[in-house]
Amino acid sequence: MSQMQRNIANGGTVDGGSPRVTVLIPAYNRADLLPTAVTSVQAQTEGRWRCIVIDDGSTDDTRAVATRFAQRDERIEVLALSENRGLGNALQAGLERVKTPYFVILDSDDWFSPDAISRCLNKMEQADDDVSLVCADGVYWVQAEDGSLHRDRVQKGRAFADKYEFFCYGPNLVPRFLRTEAVRAVGGFENDPAGHGRYLEDKLLLLKLIAHGRFAYVEQELYNIRQHAHNMTHPSDRARFQAIKRQMYERMMREWGDEYEIEWEEHPEGWLDVKTLHPRRRS
């Protein structure tokens, strides 16, 4: 009997306990890739989870694919949005249904390593209450035209000495394993004036969280990131991303007391990051 079958036979958990974690999988037109994401959740060594697949108004068979998984596994449910709202707004809709003390985000074209939930859960439950997020290392996989995957590189996660160190950190943290109460306390996934809940929604949430607590890190490869043609940002969109990022970060700096001036740097491929922070001179 497989681990997945044992989980289902035990009423949705390995040890019969109540779910501790909800996996949120926002999906828009991902009928082809969604099964890999969901199957990686079912294969977890930790069985105390629920999974909500959020169909963000897809026009393909994403909803049907998710529904078939839900019909076979009672731990999985489908939240079908009537129209496309964007990633941040879809996650906020999913957050409203979370009943567990923790939740973790899984992009619909990515997948977990088998012990991702157990490692992050153990780290979180051993941490102090001011730890709002657990992250780990992520492995990038390049998808070729024939669908085969080739391991590319590892993105190391980390903890941070303070909020300003995270402010200057460019990459996305993965997985984003979050304390539900802390996320709700900072307003959840905001439909902000800059990105309107469609751009940089994850970074905005983490900037709000780091201002009130700490992040913890598991030094292990727990998350797999698929690089393919449909998740690459087109060069024509980069100017928009740059403008949104500037507005968002300048807003957060003001909310933090406006103690530093931001020096930006643009990568050769067009991405914008914080190079350093300069203390403002006070008159």
Side-chain angles (χ1 to χ4, degrees), residues 9-28:
N10 288 330
T13 68
V14 169
D15 58 5
S18 300
R20 301 291 292 161
V21 181
T22 300
V23 182
L24 295 183
I25 306 180
Y28 177 66

Side-chain angles (χ1 to χ4, degrees), residues 154-165:
V154 175
Q155 175 184 294
K156 301 290 289 185
R158 55 175 293 191
F160 300 89
D162 58 32
K163 62 186 179 182
Y164 293 108
E165 189 173 68

